[in-house]
Amino acid sequence: MSLTCQEILKNHQPLWQEATVHPFLEGCKQGTITPEQFNTWLVQDYQFVVEFTRMLARILSVAPRHHFDVLLGGLTALKDELNWFQAKAAERNLSLDVAKQRTCEEYSQFLGNLARTPYAVQATGLWAVELAYNQGWQLPGPMPEPYTEFADRWGNSGFTDYVKLLAQQADEMLRDASPEVQKEAEQTVITVAQFEKAFWQMAFNAS
Ligand code: HMH
């Protein structure tokens, strides 16, 4: 029996919902988020994306050749994203040289440890991380300024297509994976969902 990304989501629907529907995103949509709360998220997410870029580079290093196009496209998008984060921080007079909050630190460590898992698990984890932001920023619908470009960055249709390609690549690997590896992939999606939920919540913690 082979497991697919869609089936994993279906198996954990309530948890996935908590990862992608959160008062932080609703606050952006309604314009009720405070600048301090938004800035807390922004600075922590920059730190996260630095580590996430390293994770994608490690995944590329073990991927089969026919997955390179999609992964290299992802790395190129991250190059742009990191520079964009720096520009957004500069506009807001924010220093990006800040300590990671505990959730960001633990999520980063989790991404580091993913390199010890089979490629099928890594590919599934990569898909889950990107899907969380794609759905999270897309589900509320168009956001008001100054959040429009943030919602568009992860909610745009090109990003949705990229996430679909990541699912196809993960599914291809899960098809030939052992039941143990499939279970590990499913557990990875569960952990990603828990971290994503906690990550939104950081904006409401004292920083
Ligand atoms: C916490 N998850 C988090 N930050 C991101 N930027 C993404 C996913 C998508 O890249």
Side-chain angles (χ1 to χ4, degrees):
M1 253 297 279
S2 120
L3 186 69
T4 64
C5 289
Q6 270 321 308
E7 285 165 349
I8 294 175
L9 278 191
K10 216 172 63 204
N11 292 345
H12 305 284
Q13 221 279 314
L15 176 62
W16 192 256
Q17 170 109 354
E18 291 179 332
T20 53
V21 179
H22 191 276
F24 176 83
L25 292 161
E26 195 51 29
C28 293
K29 168 82 180 173
Q30 301 298 333
T32 53
I33 207 82
T34 68
E36 292 71 25
Q37 289 166 341
F38 191 79
N39 291 346
T40 298
W41 166 81
L42 193 156
V43 168
Q44 292 296 316
D45 209 52
Y46 172 77
Q47 309 279 340
F48 174 84
V49 173
V50 170
E51 303 302 335
F52 182 64
T53 302
R54 296 190 166 115
M55 167 200 171
L56 186 48
R58 288 188 295 266
I59 292 180
L60 177 68
S61 75
V62 292
R65 166 67 182 98
H66 69 287
H67 287 187
F68 279 18
D69 274 14
V70 171
L71 300 176
L72 286 166
L75 279 167
T76 303
L78 284 171
K79 171 189 172 181
D80 180 68
E81 187 167 308
L82 287 165
N83 292 329
W84 172 81
F85 263 115
Q86 288 183 317
K88 294 303 113 187
E91 281 173 12
R92 291 167 173 262
N93 291 311
L94 300 174
S95 169
L96 288 171
D97 188 22
V98 298
K100 292 189 184 92
Q101 284 196 34
R102 182 181 167 145
T103 292
C104 186
E105 180 61 41
E106 289 179 357
Y107 200 179
S108 299
Q109 278 172 16
F110 170 75
L111 296 187
N113 289 334
L114 258 192
R116 304 168 204 262
T117 67
Y119 175 67
V121 176
Q122 297 185 52
T124 307
L126 170 63
W127 159 74
V129 172
E130 296 291 44
L131 182 70
Y133 260 44
N134 181 229
Q135 293 189 341
W137 287 101
Q138 202 170 58
L139 287 172
M143 289 201 186
E145 294 298 341
Y147 307 118
T148 316
E149 64 178 307
F150 290 85
D152 190 52
R153 170 155 290 273
W154 293 284
N156 77 75
S157 62
F159 195 74
T160 302
D161 292 342
Y162 170 62
V163 175
K164 283 184 187 149
L165 292 171
L166 292 178
Q168 279 176 21
Q169 294 192 164
D171 284 346
E172 178 199 335
M173 293 297 126
L174 289 172
R175 215 146 39 225
D176 299 321
S178 69
E180 289 72 28
V181 168
Q182 291 184 11
K183 229 181 219 110
E184 198 177 356
E186 182 158 10
Q187 183 55 54
T188 295
V189 175
I190 292 170
T191 305
V192 164
Q194 289 165 339
F195 274 127
E196 291 291 338
K197 177 188 174 189
F199 207 95
W200 299 125
Q201 193 59 37
M202 270 192 302
F204 301 106
N205 300 346
S207 55

